[in-house]
Amino acid sequence: MFKTTVKIEGMACSMCEAHIKDVIRQTFPGAKKVTASHSKGVASFISEDVDEGKLQKAIADTGYTYVSSESEPYEKKGLFW
């Protein structure tokens, strides 16, 4: 599993956040913990595999500007880690 953080320009409201979250879920059907913040200009999600080209195209197709993304390994932490 990887946690991916994406920097996006053009989000102005909570509806923009909803569009980005929907696009991520459609592009990566197994994505979990999908979040977006228009005030920070960031979206993040957890998935098995991330194709940055696919992600960039999906975001650009919705009218927002993909700035960058970074992925790091994600380990689920237990209740008493």
Side-chain angles (χ1 to χ4, degrees):
M1 299 288 270
F2 294 94
K3 179 177 181 179
T4 304
T5 304
V6 187
K7 293 186 180 180
I8 303 166
E9 289 182 350
M11 291 192 293
C13 63
S14 59
M15 197 64 201
C16 297
E17 293 173 0
H19 287 151
I20 290 295
K21 291 191 283 188
D22 287 345
V23 164
I24 290 171
R25 286 186 185 109
Q26 289 171 1
T27 306
F28 302 100
K32 300 179 189 305
K33 296 189 179 183
V34 181
T35 64
S37 170
H38 70 277
S39 60
K40 295 178 183 176
V42 173
S44 66
F45 62 98
I46 298 168
S47 66
E48 289 289 333
D49 185 30
V50 178
D51 179 352
E52 288 188 27
K54 194 175 174 183
L55 178 61
Q56 185 174 4
K57 182 180 181 329
I59 290 171
D61 287 350
T62 60
Y64 301 99
T65 305
Y66 170 95
V67 177
S68 66
S69 67
E70 50 185 60
S71 295
E72 60 187 32
Y74 174 80
E75 278 187 38
K76 184 176 180 179
K77 295 180 177 148
L79 184 61
F80 300 107
W81 55 278

Coordinates of all heavy atoms in Angstrom, one line a residue:
M1 N 0.8 -1.2 0.0 CA 0.0 0.0 0.0 C 0.9 1.2 0.0 O 1.9 1.3 0.6 CB -0.9 0.0 1.2 CG -1.8 -1.1 1.4 SD -3.2 -1.1 0.2 CE -4.4 -0.1 1.2
F2 N 0.4 2.3 -0.7 CA 1.1 3.5 -0.8 C 0.2 4.7 -0.4 O -1.0 4.7 -0.8 CB 1.7 3.7 -2.2 CG 2.7 2.8 -2.6 CD1 2.4 1.6 -3.3 CD2 4.0 3.0 -2.2 CE1 3.4 0.7 -3.6 CE2 5.0 2.1 -2.6 CZ 4.7 0.9 -3.3
K3 N 0.7 5.6 0.3 CA 0.0 6.9 0.5 C 0.5 7.9 -0.5 O 1.7 8.2 -0.5 CB 0.2 7.4 2.0 CG -0.6 8.7 2.2 CD -0.4 9.2 3.6 CE -1.3 10.4 3.8 NZ -1.2 11.0 5.1
T4 N -0.4 8.4 -1.2 CA 0.0 9.4 -2.3 C -0.6 10.8 -1.9 O -1.8 10.9 -1.6 CB -0.6 9.0 -3.7 OG1 -0.1 7.7 -3.9 CG2 -0.2 9.9 -4.7
T5 N 0.2 11.8 -2.0 CA -0.2 13.2 -1.7 C 0.0 13.9 -3.0 O 1.1 13.9 -3.6 CB 0.6 13.8 -0.6 OG1 0.5 13.0 0.5 CG2 0.2 15.2 -0.3
V6 N -1.1 14.6 -3.5 CA -1.1 15.3 -4.7 C -1.3 16.8 -4.5 O -2.2 17.2 -3.8 CB -2.2 14.8 -5.6 CG1 -2.1 15.4 -7.0 CG2 -2.2 13.3 -5.7
K7 N -0.5 17.6 -5.1 CA -0.7 19.1 -5.1 C -1.5 19.5 -6.3 O -1.1 19.1 -7.4 CB 0.6 19.8 -5.0 CG 1.4 19.5 -3.7 CD 2.6 20.4 -3.6 CE 3.3 20.0 -2.2 NZ 4.5 20.8 -2.0
I8 N -2.5 20.2 -6.1 CA -3.5 20.6 -7.1 C -3.8 22.1 -7.1 O -4.0 22.6 -6.0 CB -4.8 19.8 -7.0 CG1 -4.5 18.3 -7.0 CG2 -5.8 20.2 -8.1 CD1 -5.7 17.4 -6.6
E9 N -3.8 22.7 -8.2 CA -4.2 24.1 -8.2 C -5.6 24.2 -8.9 O -5.9 23.5 -9.7 CB -3.2 25.0 -9.0 CG -1.9 25.2 -8.4 CD -0.9 26.0 -9.2 OE1 -1.2 26.4 -10.3 OE2 0.1 26.4 -8.6
G10 N -6.4 25.2 -8.4 CA -7.7 25.5 -9.0 C -8.8 25.1 -8.2 O -10.0 25.4 -8.5
M11 N -8.6 24.4 -7.0 CA -9.7 24.1 -6.1 C -10.1 25.3 -5.3 O -9.2 26.0 -4.7 CB -9.4 23.0 -5.2 CG -9.2 21.6 -5.8 SD -9.1 20.3 -4.6 CE -7.6 20.6 -3.8
A12 N -11.4 25.7 -5.3 CA -11.8 26.9 -4.7 C -12.9 26.7 -3.6 O -13.1 27.6 -2.8 CB -12.3 27.9 -5.7
C13 N -13.5 25.5 -3.6 CA -14.6 25.3 -2.6 C -14.7 23.8 -2.3 O -14.0 23.0 -2.8 CB -15.9 25.9 -3.2 SG -16.4 25.0 -4.7
S14 N -15.6 23.5 -1.4 CA -15.8 22.1 -1.0 C -16.4 21.3 -2.2 O -16.1 20.1 -2.2 CB -16.8 22.0 0.2 OG -18.0 22.6 -0.1
M15 N -17.1 21.9 -3.1 CA -17.5 21.1 -4.3 C -16.3 20.7 -5.2 O -16.3 19.6 -5.7 CB -18.5 22.0 -5.1 CG -19.3 21.2 -6.1 SD -20.4 20.1 -5.1 CE -20.7 18.9 -6.4
C16 N -15.3 21.6 -5.2 CA -14.1 21.2 -6.0 C -13.4 20.0 -5.3 O -12.9 19.1 -6.0 CB -13.1 22.4 -6.0 SG -13.7 23.8 -6.8
E17 N -13.4 20.0 -4.0 CA -12.9 18.9 -3.2 C -13.6 17.6 -3.6 O -13.0 16.5 -3.8 CB -13.0 19.1 -1.7 CG -12.1 20.2 -1.2 CD -12.4 20.5 0.3 OE1 -13.2 19.9 0.9 OE2 -11.7 21.4 0.8
A18 N -14.9 17.7 -3.7 CA -15.8 16.5 -4.0 C -15.4 16.0 -5.4 O -15.4 14.8 -5.6 CB -17.2 16.9 -3.9
H19 N -15.2 16.9 -6.4 CA -14.9 16.5 -7.7 C -13.6 15.8 -7.7 O -13.5 14.7 -8.4 CB -14.8 17.7 -8.7 CG -16.1 18.3 -9.0 ND1 -16.2 19.7 -9.3 CD2 -17.3 17.8 -9.1 CE1 -17.5 19.9 -9.6 NE2 -18.2 18.8 -9.4
I20 N -12.6 16.3 -7.0 CA -11.3 15.6 -7.0 C -11.3 14.3 -6.3 O -10.8 13.3 -6.9 CB -10.2 16.5 -6.3 CG1 -9.9 17.8 -7.1 CG2 -9.0 15.8 -5.9 CD1 -9.2 17.5 -8.4
K21 N -12.1 14.2 -5.2 CA -12.2 12.9 -4.6 C -12.9 11.9 -5.5 O -12.5 10.7 -5.5 CB -13.0 13.0 -3.3 CG -12.2 13.8 -2.2 CD -12.8 13.7 -0.8 CE -13.9 14.6 -0.7 NZ -14.4 14.7 0.7
D22 N -13.9 12.3 -6.2 CA -14.6 11.4 -7.1 C -13.7 10.9 -8.2 O -13.7 9.8 -8.6 CB -15.9 12.1 -7.7 CG -17.0 12.3 -6.8 OD1 -17.0 11.6 -5.7 OD2 -17.9 13.1 -7.0
V23 N -12.9 11.8 -8.8 CA -12.0 11.5 -9.9 C -10.9 10.5 -9.4 O -10.6 9.5 -10.1 CB -11.3 12.8 -10.4 CG1 -10.1 12.4 -11.2 CG2 -12.2 13.6 -11.2
I24 N -10.4 10.7 -8.2 CA -9.5 9.7 -7.6 C -10.1 8.4 -7.4 O -9.5 7.3 -7.8 CB -8.9 10.3 -6.3 CG1 -8.0 11.5 -6.6 CG2 -8.1 9.1 -5.6 CD1 -7.5 12.2 -5.3
R25 N -11.3 8.3 -6.9 CA -12.0 7.0 -6.7 C -12.3 6.3 -8.0 O -12.3 5.1 -8.1 CB -13.3 7.3 -5.9 CG -13.0 7.6 -4.5 CD -14.3 7.6 -3.7 NE -14.1 8.0 -2.3 CZ -14.4 9.2 -1.8 NH1 -15.1 10.1 -2.5 NH2 -14.2 9.5 -0.5
Q26 N -12.6 7.1 -9.1 CA -12.9 6.5 -10.4 C -11.6 6.0 -11.0 O -11.6 5.0 -11.7 CB -13.6 7.5 -11.3 CG -15.0 7.8 -10.9 CD -15.6 9.0 -11.6 OE1 -15.0 9.6 -12.5 NE2 -16.9 9.3 -11.3
T27 N -10.5 6.8 -10.9 CA -9.3 6.4 -11.5 C -8.6 5.2 -10.8 O -8.0 4.4 -11.5 CB -8.3 7.6 -11.5 OG1 -9.0 8.7 -12.1 CG2 -7.1 7.3 -12.3
F28 N -8.7 5.2 -9.5 CA -8.1 4.1 -8.7 C -9.2 3.5 -7.9 O -9.4 3.9 -6.7 CB -7.0 4.7 -7.8 CG -5.9 5.3 -8.6 CD1 -5.9 6.7 -8.7 CD2 -4.9 4.6 -9.2 CE1 -4.9 7.3 -9.4 CE2 -3.9 5.2 -9.9 CZ -3.9 6.6 -10.0
P29 N -10.0 2.5 -8.4 CA -11.1 2.0 -7.7 C -10.9 1.4 -6.3 O -11.7 1.4 -5.5 CB -11.6 0.9 -8.6 CG -11.1 1.2 -10.0 CD -9.8 1.9 -9.7
G30 N -9.6 1.0 -6.0 CA -9.3 0.5 -4.7 C -8.8 1.5 -3.7 O -8.4 1.2 -2.6
A31 N -8.9 2.8 -4.1 CA -8.4 3.8 -3.2 C -9.2 3.9 -1.9 O -10.4 3.8 -1.9 CB -8.4 5.2 -3.9
K32 N -8.4 4.2 -0.8 CA -9.0 4.3 0.5 C -8.6 5.6 1.1 O -7.6 6.2 0.7 CB -8.6 3.1 1.4 CG -8.9 1.8 0.9 CD -8.4 0.7 1.8 CE -8.5 -0.7 1.3 NZ -9.8 -1.2 0.9
K33 N -9.3 6.1 2.1 CA -9.0 7.3 2.8 C -8.7 8.5 1.9 O -7.7 9.2 2.0 CB -7.9 7.1 3.8 CG -8.2 6.1 4.9 CD -7.1 6.0 5.9 CE -7.4 5.1 7.0 NZ -6.4 5.0 8.1
V34 N -9.6 8.7 1.0 CA -9.5 9.8 0.0 C -9.9 11.1 0.6 O -11.0 11.2 1.1 CB -10.3 9.5 -1.3 CG1 -10.1 10.6 -2.3 CG2 -10.0 8.1 -1.9
T35 N -9.0 12.0 0.7 CA -9.2 13.3 1.2 C -8.8 14.4 0.3 O -7.9 14.2 -0.6 CB -8.5 13.6 2.6 OG1 -7.1 13.5 2.4 CG2 -8.9 12.5 3.6
A36 N -9.4 15.6 0.4 CA -8.9 16.8 -0.4 C -9.2 18.0 0.4 O -10.2 18.1 1.2 CB -9.7 16.8 -1.7
S37 N -8.3 19.0 0.2 CA -8.5 20.3 0.9 C -8.3 21.4 -0.1 O -7.2 21.6 -0.6 CB -7.5 20.4 2.1 OG -7.5 21.7 2.6
H38 N -9.3 22.2 -0.3 CA -9.1 23.3 -1.2 C -8.3 24.4 -0.6 O -7.6 25.1 -1.4 CB -10.5 23.9 -1.7 CG -11.3 24.6 -0.6 ND1 -12.0 24.0 0.3 CD2 -11.4 25.9 -0.4 CE1 -12.6 24.9 1.1 NE2 -12.2 26.1 0.7
S39 N -8.3 24.6 0.7 CA -7.5 25.6 1.3 C -6.0 25.3 1.3 O -5.2 26.2 1.1 CB -7.9 25.9 2.8 OG -7.8 24.7 3.5
K40 N -5.6 24.0 1.3 CA -4.2 23.7 1.2 C -3.8 23.3 -0.2 O -2.6 23.3 -0.5 CB -4.0 22.4 2.1 CG -4.1 22.7 3.6 CD -3.9 21.5 4.4 CE -4.2 21.7 5.9 NZ -4.0 20.5 6.7
G41 N -4.8 23.0 -1.1 CA -4.5 22.7 -2.4 C -3.9 21.3 -2.5 O -3.0 21.0 -3.4
V42 N -4.4 20.4 -1.7 CA -3.8 19.0 -1.6 C -4.9 18.0 -1.5 O -5.9 18.2 -0.9 CB -2.9 18.9 -0.3 CG1 -2.4 17.5 -0.1 CG2 -1.7 19.9 -0.4
A43 N -4.6 16.8 -2.1 CA -5.4 15.7 -2.0 C -4.5 14.5 -1.6 O -3.4 14.5 -2.0 CB -6.2 15.4 -3.3
S44 N -5.1 13.5 -0.9 CA -4.3 12.4 -0.6 C -5.2 11.1 -0.5 O -6.4 11.2 -0.4 CB -3.6 12.5 0.8 OG -4.5 12.6 1.8
F45 N -4.6 10.0 -0.8 CA -5.3 8.7 -0.7 C -4.3 7.6 -0.6 O -3.1 7.7 -0.8 CB -6.1 8.5 -2.0 CG -5.3 8.5 -3.3 CD1 -5.0 7.3 -3.9 CD2 -4.9 9.7 -3.9 CE1 -4.3 7.2 -5.1 CE2 -4.2 9.6 -5.1 CZ -3.8 8.4 -5.7
I46 N -4.9 6.4 -0.2 CA -4.1 5.2 -0.1 C -4.5 4.2 -1.1 O -5.7 4.0 -1.3 CB -4.3 4.6 1.4 CG1 -3.8 5.7 2.4 CG2 -3.5 3.3 1.5 CD1 -4.1 5.3 3.8
S47 N -3.6 3.6 -1.8 CA -3.9 2.6 -2.8 C -2.8 1.6 -3.0 O -1.7 1.8 -2.5 CB -4.2 3.3 -4.1 OG -3.1 3.9 -4.7
E48 N -3.1 0.5 -3.7 CA -2.1 -0.5 -4.0 C -1.0 0.0 -5.0 O 0.1 -0.3 -4.8 CB -2.8 -1.8 -4.5 CG -3.6 -2.5 -3.5 CD -2.8 -3.2 -2.5 OE1 -1.6 -3.6 -2.7 OE2 -3.3 -3.4 -1.4
D49 N -1.5 0.6 -6.0 CA -0.6 1.0 -7.1 C -1.0 2.4 -7.6 O -2.2 2.7 -7.6 CB -0.7 0.0 -8.2 CG 0.3 0.3 -9.3 OD1 1.4 0.8 -9.0 OD2 0.0 0.0 -10.5
V50 N 0.0 3.2 -7.9 CA -0.3 4.6 -8.4 C 0.5 4.8 -9.7 O 1.7 4.7 -9.8 CB 0.2 5.6 -7.3 CG1 0.0 7.0 -7.9 CG2 -0.5 5.4 -6.0
D51 N -0.3 5.1 -10.7 CA 0.3 5.5 -12.0 C 0.2 7.0 -12.1 O -0.9 7.6 -12.3 CB -0.5 4.8 -13.1 CG 0.0 5.2 -14.5 OD1 0.9 6.1 -14.6 OD2 -0.5 4.5 -15.5
E52 N 1.3 7.7 -11.9 CA 1.3 9.2 -11.8 C 0.8 9.8 -13.1 O 0.1 10.8 -13.1 CB 2.6 9.7 -11.5 CG 3.0 9.5 -10.0 CD 4.3 10.2 -9.6 OE1 4.6 11.2 -10.2 OE2 4.9 9.7 -8.7
G53 N 1.1 9.2 -14.3 CA 0.6 9.7 -15.6 C -0.9 9.6 -15.6 O -1.6 10.6 -16.1
K54 N -1.5 8.5 -15.2 CA -2.9 8.3 -15.2 C -3.6 9.3 -14.2 O -4.6 9.9 -14.6 CB -3.2 6.9 -14.7 CG -4.6 6.4 -14.9 CD -4.6 4.9 -14.5 CE -5.9 4.3 -14.6 NZ -6.0 2.9 -14.1
L55 N -3.0 9.5 -13.1 CA -3.5 10.5 -12.1 C -3.4 11.9 -12.6 O -4.4 12.7 -12.5 CB -2.7 10.4 -10.8 CG -3.0 11.4 -9.7 CD1 -4.4 11.1 -9.2 CD2 -2.0 11.2 -8.5
Q56 N -2.3 12.3 -13.2 CA -2.2 13.6 -13.8 C -3.2 13.9 -14.9 O -3.8 14.9 -14.9 CB -0.8 13.8 -14.4 CG -0.5 15.2 -14.9 CD 1.0 15.3 -15.3 OE1 1.8 14.4 -15.3 NE2 1.3 16.5 -15.7
K57 N -3.4 12.9 -15.8 CA -4.4 13.1 -16.9 C -5.8 13.2 -16.3 O -6.6 14.1 -16.7 CB -4.3 11.9 -17.8 CG -5.3 12.0 -19.0 CD -5.2 10.9 -19.9 CE -6.1 10.9 -21.1 NZ -7.4 11.6 -21.0
A58 N -6.2 12.4 -15.3 CA -7.5 12.4 -14.7 C -7.8 13.8 -14.1 O -8.9 14.3 -14.3 CB -7.7 11.3 -13.7
I59 N -6.8 14.3 -13.4 CA -7.0 15.6 -12.7 C -7.1 16.7 -13.8 O -8.0 17.6 -13.7 CB -5.9 15.9 -11.7 CG1 -6.1 15.0 -10.5 CG2 -5.9 17.4 -11.3 CD1 -4.9 15.0 -9.6
A60 N -6.2 16.7 -14.8 CA -6.3 17.7 -15.8 C -7.6 17.6 -16.6 O -8.1 18.7 -17.0 CB -5.1 17.5 -16.8
D61 N -8.1 16.4 -16.8 CA -9.4 16.3 -17.6 C -10.6 16.9 -16.8 O -11.6 17.2 -17.4 CB -9.7 14.8 -17.8 CG -8.8 14.2 -18.9 OD1 -8.1 15.0 -19.6 OD2 -8.8 13.0 -19.1
T62 N -10.5 17.1 -15.5 CA -11.5 17.7 -14.8 C -11.4 19.2 -14.7 O -12.3 19.9 -14.2 CB -11.6 17.2 -13.3 OG1 -10.4 17.5 -12.7 CG2 -11.9 15.7 -13.3
G63 N -10.3 19.8 -15.2 CA -10.1 21.2 -15.3 C -9.3 21.8 -14.2 O -9.1 23.0 -14.1
Y64 N -8.7 21.0 -13.4 CA -7.7 21.4 -12.3 C -6.3 21.2 -12.8 O -6.1 20.5 -13.8 CB -8.0 20.7 -11.0 CG -9.4 20.8 -10.5 CD1 -10.4 19.9 -10.7 CD2 -9.8 22.0 -9.9 CE1 -11.7 20.0 -10.3 CE2 -11.1 22.2 -9.4 CZ -12.0 21.2 -9.6 OH -13.3 21.4 -9.2
T65 N -5.4 21.9 -12.1 CA -4.0 21.8 -12.6 C -3.2 20.9 -11.6 O -3.1 21.2 -10.4 CB -3.3 23.2 -12.6 OG1 -4.1 24.0 -13.4 CG2 -1.9 23.1 -13.1
Y66 N -2.7 19.8 -12.1 CA -1.8 18.9 -11.4 C -0.5 19.5 -11.2 O 0.2 19.9 -12.2 CB -1.7 17.6 -12.2 CG -0.7 16.6 -11.6 CD1 -1.1 15.6 -10.8 CD2 0.6 16.7 -12.0 CE1 -0.1 14.7 -10.3 CE2 1.6 15.8 -11.6 CZ 1.2 14.8 -10.7 OH 2.1 13.9 -10.2
V67 N 0.0 19.7 -10.0 CA 1.3 20.4 -9.8 C 2.4 19.3 -9.5 O 3.4 19.3 -10.2 CB 1.2 21.3 -8.6 CG1 2.6 21.9 -8.3 CG2 0.2 22.4 -8.8
S68 N 2.1 18.4 -8.6 CA 3.1 17.4 -8.3 C 2.4 16.3 -7.4 O 1.3 16.5 -6.9 CB 4.3 17.9 -7.6 OG 4.0 18.4 -6.3
S69 N 3.1 15.2 -7.3 CA 2.6 14.2 -6.3 C 3.8 13.4 -5.8 O 4.9 13.3 -6.4 CB 1.7 13.2 -7.0 OG 2.3 12.4 -8.0
E70 N 3.6 12.8 -4.6 CA 4.6 12.0 -4.0 C 4.0 10.8 -3.3 O 2.9 11.0 -2.7 CB 5.6 12.7 -3.1 CG 4.9 13.6 -2.0 CD 5.9 14.4 -1.2 OE1 6.6 15.2 -1.8 OE2 5.9 14.2 0.0
S71 N 4.6 9.7 -3.4 CA 4.1 8.4 -2.8 C 5.1 7.9 -1.8 O 6.3 8.0 -2.1 CB 3.8 7.4 -3.9 OG 2.8 7.8 -4.7
E72 N 4.6 7.4 -0.7 CA 5.4 6.7 0.3 C 4.7 5.5 0.8 O 3.5 5.4 0.7 CB 5.7 7.7 1.4 CG 4.4 8.2 2.1 CD 4.7 9.2 3.2 OE1 5.6 10.0 3.0 OE2 4.0 9.3 4.2
P73 N 5.5 4.5 1.2 CA 4.9 3.3 1.7 C 4.0 3.6 2.9 O 4.3 4.4 3.7 CB 6.1 2.4 2.1 CG 7.3 3.0 1.4 CD 7.0 4.4 1.2
Y74 N 2.9 2.9 2.9 CA 1.9 3.1 4.0 C 1.7 1.8 4.8 O 1.5 0.7 4.2 CB 0.6 3.5 3.4 CG -0.5 3.6 4.5 CD1 -0.6 4.7 5.3 CD2 -1.4 2.6 4.6 CE1 -1.6 4.8 6.3 CE2 -2.5 2.7 5.6 CZ -2.5 3.8 6.4 OH -3.5 3.9 7.3
E75 N 1.9 1.9 6.1 CA 1.6 0.7 7.0 C 0.5 1.1 7.9 O 0.5 2.1 8.6 CB 2.9 0.4 7.8 CG 3.9 -0.4 7.1 CD 5.0 -0.9 8.0 OE1 4.7 -1.2 9.2 OE2 6.1 -0.9 7.6
K76 N -0.5 0.2 7.9 CA -1.6 0.4 8.8 C -1.1 0.2 10.2 O -0.5 -0.8 10.5 CB -2.8 -0.5 8.5 CG -4.0 -0.3 9.3 CD -5.1 -1.2 8.8 CE -6.3 -1.0 9.7 NZ -7.4 -1.8 9.3
K77 N -1.4 1.1 11.1 CA -1.0 1.0 12.5 C -2.1 0.5 13.3 O -3.3 0.9 13.1 CB -0.5 2.4 13.0 CG 0.7 2.9 12.3 CD 1.2 4.2 12.8 CE 2.5 4.6 12.1 NZ 2.6 6.0 11.9
G78 N -1.8 -0.4 14.2 CA -2.8 -1.0 15.1 C -3.3 0.0 16.1 O -2.7 1.1 16.3
L79 N -4.2 -0.4 16.9 CA -4.7 0.4 18.0 C -3.7 0.8 19.0 O -3.6 1.9 19.5 CB -5.9 -0.3 18.6 CG -6.7 0.4 19.7 CD1 -7.2 1.7 19.1 CD2 -7.8 -0.4 20.3
F80 N -2.8 -0.2 19.3 CA -1.8 0.0 20.4 C -0.4 0.0 19.8 O 0.5 -0.8 20.3 CB -1.9 -1.0 21.5 CG -3.3 -0.9 22.2 CD1 -4.2 -1.9 21.9 CD2 -3.6 0.1 23.0 CE1 -5.5 -1.8 22.5 CE2 -4.8 0.2 23.6 CZ -5.8 -0.8 23.4
W81 N -0.1 0.7 18.8 CA 1.2 0.6 18.1 C 2.2 1.4 19.0 O 3.2 1.4 19.1 CB 1.2 1.2 16.7 CG 0.6 2.6 16.6 CD1 -0.7 2.9 16.6 CD2 1.3 3.8 16.6 NE1 -0.8 4.3 16.5 CE2 0.4 4.8 16.5 CE3 2.7 4.1 16.6 CZ2 0.8 6.2 16.5 CZ3 3.0 5.4 16.5 CH2 2.1 6.4 16.5

